[in-house]
Amino acid sequence: MSDKKPENNETWKEKLSSDEFEILRMCGTERPFSGKYNSFYEPGEYFCAACGAELFDSNTKFDSGSGWPSFYDVLKTSNVKLIEDNAHGMKRVEVRCAKCDSHLGHVFNDGPPPTGLRYCINSIALKHAKDK
Ligand code: FE
C-alpha cells in the first residue's frame, strides 16, 4: 500500500511544463475529454512525456468513453510499474513509468478482450511518435 508521490527535484520542474509536472510528478489528472489523445487514433507508439520510454502502441488503443486515452495492453510489461492506490477513498491501481517513476494513470479490470484490462492514461503523460 502506497500513495507516495514520485521523487521530485528541481530538474523535473525545469524540464516539464506546469501541466506536465502536475500530472506526471504530482499524480494529478487532466479533465476528461480535454486531452489531445482522447480521440486520436493515428498509428504509432506512445512514449513517456517525461523520459521518452516506450509505453503503449496504437493497435491496443480503444474508445472507452471515459474521456481519457485507453489501452487494453502495454507495449512491454517491464516498462510500467503498478502501485496500489487507496487515495480519494477508492481502491485503484496506479500506473507509473518504470524508468522515471512518473505517474501515467490507472488500470482497471473492465477492458475489452484479449486482456480485459483498461489502462486509463492522461494524454499529458504521453507523446505519440508523431509528436516526439
Ligand atoms: Fe518515464
Side-chain angles (χ1 to χ4, degrees), residues 62-87:
F62 68 100
D63 183 5
S64 67
S66 67
W68 290 281
S70 302
F71 302 85
Y72 63 75
D73 206 358
V74 293
L75 204 48
K76 286 185 193 157
T77 315
S78 57
N79 286 9
V80 297
K81 68 177 178 188
L82 305 180
I83 300 174
E84 194 178 314
D85 176 6
N86 296 312

Side-chain angles (χ1 to χ4, degrees), residues 6 15-16 23 35 44 64 74 78 86 100 103 107 109 121:
K15 263 183 85 169
L16 303 173
I23 284 161
S64 67
V74 293
S78 57
N86 296 312
C100 75
H103 172 79
V107 60
N109 287 316
I121 305 298

Side-chain angles (χ1 to χ4, degrees), residues 12 48-53 55 97-102 104:
W12 282 118
C48 174
C51 78
L55 298 174
C97 173
K99 190 175 168 193
C100 75
D101 205 34
S102 283
L104 305 171

Side-chain angles (χ1 to χ4, degrees), residues 27-40:
C27 301
T29 303
E30 69 195 13
R31 281 178 297 107
F33 303 100
S34 72
K36 67 192 287 193
Y37 298 134
N38 180 46
S39 302
F40 175 92

